[in-house]
Amino acid sequence: MARFDINNIPDNEEDIDFSDIEERYQLSFEEGFDNIVVVDNIPLVDETKEEKLIQFLRKIFKNVGEIRDKHFTMPKAVNEKGKLMSKGFMFIEFENAEQATLAVKLIDGFKMDKSHTLAVNRFTDVEKYSAVEEEFHAPAEEEFIEKEHLKSWLADEMGRDQMVIYRHNEVQVLWNMQKEQPQIAHNKPHWTETYVQWSPLGSYLTTFHAQGVALWGGESWKKIIRFVHPGVKLIDYSPNERFLVTWSNEPIVVPEENNDGPFGPEDEGNQIVIWDVKSGALLRTFPSLAPQAPNARSTVSWPVFKWSPSERYFARVTPGSQISVYEAPSMGLLNKKSIKIDGVVDFEWAPSAGADKSGKPKDDMLAYWTPEVDNQPARVTLLNIPNLDIIRTKNLFNVNDCKLHWQNQGDFLCVKVDRHTKNKKVTYSNLEIFRVREKDIPVEVVEVKESILAFAWEPKGERFAVITTSDPNFTSATPGSTTLKTSASFYYLDKGKGKDTLQSFKVIKTLAGKSCNTIFWSPKGRNVVLATLRSQTVWDLEFYDLDFEPLESAAAKVPTGGEKDPAAYLQLLSSGEHYGVTDIEWDPSGRFIATSASVWRHTMENGYQIWDFKGQMLYKENLEKFKQLVWRPRPKTLLSKDQIKNIRKNLREYSSRFDEQDMESSSLVSSAERQRRRTLLQEWADWRKRVEADLASDRAAAGQQVAAAPADDEEAEEVDEWIEEVIDEKEEIVA
């Protein structure tokens, strides 16, 4: 034991070195204090207002857990005026560390009023960060590891598109080779357990597993990241792939001990999770909505959350009461409350907010509709987000149902209205079209007078197609169970001649006597496929071109004034059939379309077919236990409008270049096929020689006489064989 020298006691207490004692008896702030939080930026109050402030803070923290009175500690000090005042912060002690963590997550950043925004931190964090060394020490520099480019497939010299095929337990990523068998880019058995899904821009391929989902990409198809969410059944990406939403029918269960997962006590029982794709961070979880009617079966309308095109907001509807709009990435409610709308049924975001002249993004906009209630008519409303200003409303009468259809550039909103007569015995449909980009947003009514089975806007265009029926067998509850008699109509926006001429949508042409029930526009517009999908008896495919250069007979219809007749440019290019077709999808280029018959629907001739936009079948493959074919999406082009215009102007030059590549590719394929056949023939000849040699040696060993092969110079006997074939037989009776 060290001897204590009284003569060496310092005169000032601050000069005494207690470091050895502090080190010996130091307490760990990580143990015993992890259930305490520090709340900063609270108002300064005296003793008379202290209780009122505590009650107000108790309401703020009520969703975290119950806090007893003695668990609020508010330090005080005498101010310059000699009055005892609080110091602007306080300590709150919770029952456990989980509640303290939840308080930091939910309350940090909460605005009490205009002057006070709460800052909530764990007590252990305050102590930990206060012990940070004053002198900065640079962290060790990590070695840079170059990652593969997630869009490497876009550099393909032939400009080919990729598709993914899922059959039996095998997943294949393939290059489209048009008329030839697709080329395998990657192949992996047991890659997924249920199905696969591309991200919106094609950067990631998502696979589903019992413990969650995994994202794959790059040239070597390595795993990019995985998200742990047991029992995931459905996913949805935000438009620019920044966020991922997962849903499981199994509520989240958080183990009390050894919790290595991403979920905390606050996530218990929730079924919807939102993730940050780049970092893999869990942003927030949500519960699924409970069924509205008692004892009703719980169903999920997917996607539950719909994203704005800017990714700044996402929202979901609580049918009959409200729309909840959340901000991203904070995941908090816009204005900290939902938008109360009595009777609201559904909503849709406008696809493109665009930007103003300065380049600043415009506000987002959504459309929603409410049904008729008592004496109030049904109503469609356009709402500005985030200002919540009502931009336009339209009242509707005698309404059964509405469907909202935005044109993909946000220029038009079509509301398909299913109506009934006053006696409610007859139902019919019509279209209410909002011209969103025009002043005061005029609304045009297009009368149809029949039930509408399908509606689709032309991408990047001002035309649309509808399929209608007056067939008495029509029931919306059982689509595809009965082949209906339908009509297909195409409409265009007639802009008129003069400035004051009212624009209106007019019929290009109506095609009667059809059986089609679905519409598939090319992503580039102009071409469209009308199909009879998931029927039990009819599987028709019809390929149309709406800008077909008319023949002389059609060109004669063009008036001398220069006005074009749109009907003269509508041309049926081809008709086809795919037995048992269940799914149809265009490739991103709009040049090819895939039709497939999935084992998920039936087990008859499962497989897929590749067609060109003209309706010529290029490739067909029947695959046992075929499940899914999905084209890989492409991101938006980086070319400017002027560059695209220049390419179209010089299209013949580019076309000739691609024609040469196609001929060269076809020639290479042909030569490769010939070489393959030569190789097979040579292998067969070599095999025959080996077998003959083995047979001769076996006979010699057995003492049998081996016939000598005839020499080349010996004269061989030639035998002619005549074969008669009756080409035609005619019987004539001679008198």
Side-chain angles (χ1 to χ4, degrees):
M1 185 174 178
R3 180 176 293 182
F4 180 73
D5 189 356
I6 193 171
N7 297 320
N8 292 330
I9 297 178
D11 297 333
N12 192 344
E13 183 180 338
E14 295 181 357
D15 296 334
I16 301 177
D17 184 10
F18 296 101
S19 59
D20 56 338
I21 300 176
E22 290 176 348
E23 183 178 356
R24 183 175 181 180
Y25 297 101
Q26 184 178 11
L27 293 176
S28 173
F29 287 100
E30 297 293 333
E31 300 177 1
F33 299 97
D34 53 357
N35 63 330
I36 300 175
V37 298
V38 182
V39 184
D40 204 356
N41 297 334
I42 62 176
L44 302 178
V45 296
D46 55 19
E47 293 181 340
T48 60
K49 296 182 179 180
E50 180 180 349
E51 183 61 27
K52 186 176 181 180
L53 176 61
I54 290 177
Q55 293 301 325
F56 184 76
L57 291 172
R58 187 185 297 277
K59 291 180 181 179
I60 296 175
F61 286 87
K62 68 179 181 179
N63 293 329
V64 177
E66 187 65 27
I67 309 171
R68 287 175 286 185
D69 293 337
K70 294 183 180 180
H71 290 182
F72 282 96
T73 304
M74 188 181 300
K76 305 178 187 67
V78 178
N79 62 10
E80 298 176 355
K81 297 181 180 180
K83 192 174 182 180
L84 187 64
M85 300 287 291
S86 64
K87 287 189 171 184
F89 67 93
M90 70 184 310
F91 303 96
I92 301 178
E93 183 179 353
F94 290 95
E95 294 295 329
N96 50 55
E98 288 75 14
Q99 290 183 352
T101 303
L102 184 60
V104 174
K105 186 175 182 179
L106 298 181
I107 312 300
D108 184 39
F110 180 84
K111 291 185 178 180
M112 290 185 61
D113 51 41
K114 295 182 179 179
S115 305
H116 299 88
T117 300
L118 298 183
V120 184
N121 294 281
R122 292 164 60 103
F123 179 75
T124 52
D125 290 342
V126 174
E127 293 295 333
K128 181 173 64 175
Y129 295 132
S130 63
V132 176
E133 297 181 7
E134 294 292 335
E135 184 179 355
F136 172 73
H137 297 282
E141 185 176 350
E142 296 182 4
E143 182 182 357
F144 173 72
I145 301 176
E146 186 175 358
K147 295 183 179 180
E148 295 179 351
H149 203 296
L150 295 178
K151 294 181 172 57
S152 58
W153 92 98
L154 296 175
D156 180 58
E157 294 182 356
M158 299 173 63
R160 297 172 297 177
D161 280 295
Q162 285 186 345
M163 54 186 167
V164 62
I165 287 180
Y166 180 30
R167 54 163 301 201
H168 193 40
N169 294 321
E170 185 178 24
V171 178
Q172 292 180 329
V173 179
L174 305 173
W175 290 104
N176 178 27
M177 300 299 292
Q178 300 184 25
K179 296 182 180 181
E180 304 299 327
Q181 183 176 6
Q183 178 183 339
I184 297 177
H186 192 71
N187 180 29
K188 189 172 184 179
H190 302 286
W191 202 356
T192 187
E193 296 180 16
T194 52
Y195 65 101
V196 294
Q197 182 173 329
W198 293 107
S199 59
L201 304 181
S203 302
Y204 309 102
L205 179 65
T206 312
T207 58
F208 293 74
H209 310 273
Q211 294 302 315
V213 296
L215 274 56
W216 310 76
E219 195 169 356
S220 61
W221 292 100
K222 294 180 180 179
K223 183 190 295 183
I224 306 299
I225 197 170
R226 71 184 184 98
F227 300 96
V228 178
H229 187 186
V232 169
K233 297 296 186 294
L234 299 169
I235 67 167
D236 181 51
Y237 285 89
S238 61
N240 296 320
E241 304 177 341
R242 184 179 177 186
F243 305 103
L244 174 67
V245 185
T246 59
W247 175 84
S248 172
N249 60 331
E250 305 171 10
I252 295 172
V253 178
V254 181
E256 296 182 0
E257 298 180 358
N258 300 324
N259 180 18
D260 297 329
F263 304 114
E266 69 277 8
D267 304 314
E268 185 88 27
N270 291 343
Q271 294 174 274
I272 305 170
V273 186
I274 300 183
W275 311 84
D276 185 290
V277 173
K278 294 290 180 65
S279 65
L282 167 65
L283 299 179
R284 184 171 177 180
T285 63
F286 294 86
S288 294
L289 296 177
Q292 291 181 285
N295 301 323
R297 184 180 179 184
S298 179
T299 58
V300 177
S301 178
W302 195 255
V304 172
F305 289 103
K306 299 176 182 179
W307 291 89
S308 69
S310 65
E311 285 190 343
R312 290 177 291 180
Y313 309 100
F314 61 99
R316 77 169 170 183
V317 62
T318 304
S321 60
Q322 65 187 22
I323 296 176
S324 302
V325 181
Y326 298 86
E327 297 180 275
S330 67
M331 301 290 120
L333 269 173
L334 179 65
N335 299 329
K336 302 192 180 300
K337 60 182 179 180
S338 297
I339 307 170
K340 302 295 181 181
I341 306 170
D342 291 336
V344 62
V345 178
D346 197 11
F347 77 97
E348 294 289 345
W349 290 98
S352 177
D356 55 23
K357 295 181 179 179
S358 63
K360 182 180 179 181
K362 294 182 180 179
D363 290 339
D364 288 293
M365 177 172 58
L366 60 79
Y368 66 86
W369 79 277
T370 55
E372 293 179 275
V373 180
D374 298 329
N375 295 325
Q376 296 292 327
R379 181 173 297 170
V380 176
T381 304
L382 301 184
L383 186 68
N384 175 279
I385 301 294
N387 298 330
L388 304 184
D389 295 331
I390 294 177
I391 304 171
R392 183 74 159 86
T393 61
K394 178 67 187 297
N395 293 336
L396 305 171
F397 299 91
N398 302 328
V399 175
N400 286 340
D401 191 22
C402 289
K403 296 295 182 185
L404 307 174
H405 299 275
W406 281 98
Q407 186 247 15
N408 72 329
Q409 292 180 315
D411 297 335
F412 305 97
L413 168 66
C414 176
V415 183
K416 181 180 78 70
V417 186
D418 296 331
R419 299 180 183 270
H420 58 260
T421 56
K422 291 184 178 180
N423 58 15
K424 298 186 179 181
K425 293 183 179 180
V426 180
T427 59
Y428 62 97
S429 304
N430 69 356
L431 306 173
E432 307 272 345
I433 301 179
F434 293 69
R435 297 204 286 271
V436 179
R437 304 299 184 194
E438 297 182 25
K439 185 178 180 181
D440 298 328
I441 310 182
V443 180
E444 179 184 349
V445 180
V446 178
E447 298 291 345
V448 179
K449 295 302 182 183
E450 288 186 338
S451 297
I452 297 178
L453 273 69
F455 174 94
W457 285 102
E458 177 188 21
K460 304 177 182 179
E462 299 174 339
R463 296 179 290 203
F464 62 85
V466 293
I467 296 176
T468 61
T469 184
S470 56
D471 195 316
N473 295 322
F474 170 66
T475 54
S476 59
T478 56
S481 60
T482 304
T483 303
L484 303 173
K485 296 179 180 179
T486 61
S487 299
S489 300
F490 298 94
Y491 290 77
Y492 76 105
L493 181 61
D494 184 9
K495 298 182 179 180
K497 294 182 180 180
K499 294 182 179 180
D500 299 330
T501 304
L502 293 177
Q503 300 182 9
S504 62
F505 283 92
K506 295 183 179 179
V507 178
I508 298 175
K509 192 174 184 179
T510 297
L511 310 172
K514 300 293 181 181
S515 63
C516 55
N517 55 21
T518 48
I519 306 165
F520 296 93
W521 283 99
S522 163
K524 303 300 182 183
R526 176 172 174 172
N527 296 98
V528 64
V529 174
L530 303 180
T532 308
L533 204 60
R534 297 173 186 172
S535 171
Q536 298 177 358
T537 55
V538 181
W539 307 278
D540 292 339
L541 305 170
E542 294 183 342
F543 297 79
Y544 288 90
D545 185 351
L546 272 69
D547 293 326
F548 187 81
E549 288 295 332
L551 302 174
E552 293 182 1
S553 58
K557 299 179 182 178
V558 181
T560 56
E563 288 294 324
K564 295 182 179 179
D565 178 15
Y569 292 82
L570 175 61
Q571 179 70 30
L572 173 63
L573 300 178
S574 179
S575 297
E577 181 183 86
H578 183 173
Y579 178 79
V581 61
T582 59
D583 301 280
I584 299 177
E585 185 177 4
W586 284 90
D587 84 323
S589 70
R591 295 185 298 159
F592 307 100
I593 186 169
T595 60
S596 58
S598 174
V599 74
W600 289 332
R601 294 283 179 177
H602 60 74
T603 57
M604 303 178 296
E605 296 189 19
N606 301 126
Y608 68 96
Q609 298 177 11
I610 305 294
W611 311 69
D612 66 9
F613 67 92
K614 302 187 297 296
Q616 179 184 358
M617 190 176 70
L618 304 177
Y619 183 76
K620 176 181 179 180
E621 186 172 11
N622 291 333
L623 297 172
E624 186 179 357
K625 296 184 179 180
F626 171 85
K627 299 175 181 178
Q628 189 181 13
L629 183 151
V630 189
W631 291 100
R632 187 173 191 175
R634 284 178 173 262
K636 294 181 180 179
T637 179
L638 300 178
L639 298 177
S640 65
K641 292 183 178 179
D642 292 337
Q643 288 174 320
I644 295 175
K645 186 177 180 180
N646 183 55
I647 291 173
R648 288 178 176 172
K649 183 179 179 181
N650 302 309
L651 192 58
R652 292 185 180 277
E653 177 185 345
Y654 294 108
S655 297
S656 60
R657 188 187 309 170
F658 287 120
D659 288 341
E660 291 177 3
Q661 292 182 0
D662 290 341
M663 291 180 63
E664 182 180 352
S665 175
S666 177
S667 176
L668 289 174
V669 171
S670 300
S671 60
E673 180 64 20
R674 288 195 297 270
Q675 182 61 36
R676 186 183 71 86
R677 292 177 180 177
R678 290 194 194 98
T679 303
L680 291 175
L681 185 61
Q682 184 62 42
E683 289 176 355
W684 179 83
D686 295 341
W687 172 84
R688 182 173 178 177
K689 287 182 179 180
R690 288 197 305 271
V691 171
E692 289 177 346
D694 294 341
L695 182 60
S697 61
D698 292 343
R699 286 179 175 177
Q704 298 178 5
Q705 185 177 359
V706 181
D712 294 340
D713 56 351
E714 291 184 5
E715 184 177 352
E717 181 182 359
E718 293 185 1
V719 178
D720 293 335
E721 182 179 358
W722 292 79
I723 299 176
E724 294 184 0
E725 181 179 356
V726 178
I727 304 298
D728 188 17
E729 184 175 347
K730 183 177 181 181
E731 184 177 347
E732 183 177 351
I733 300 176
V734 180

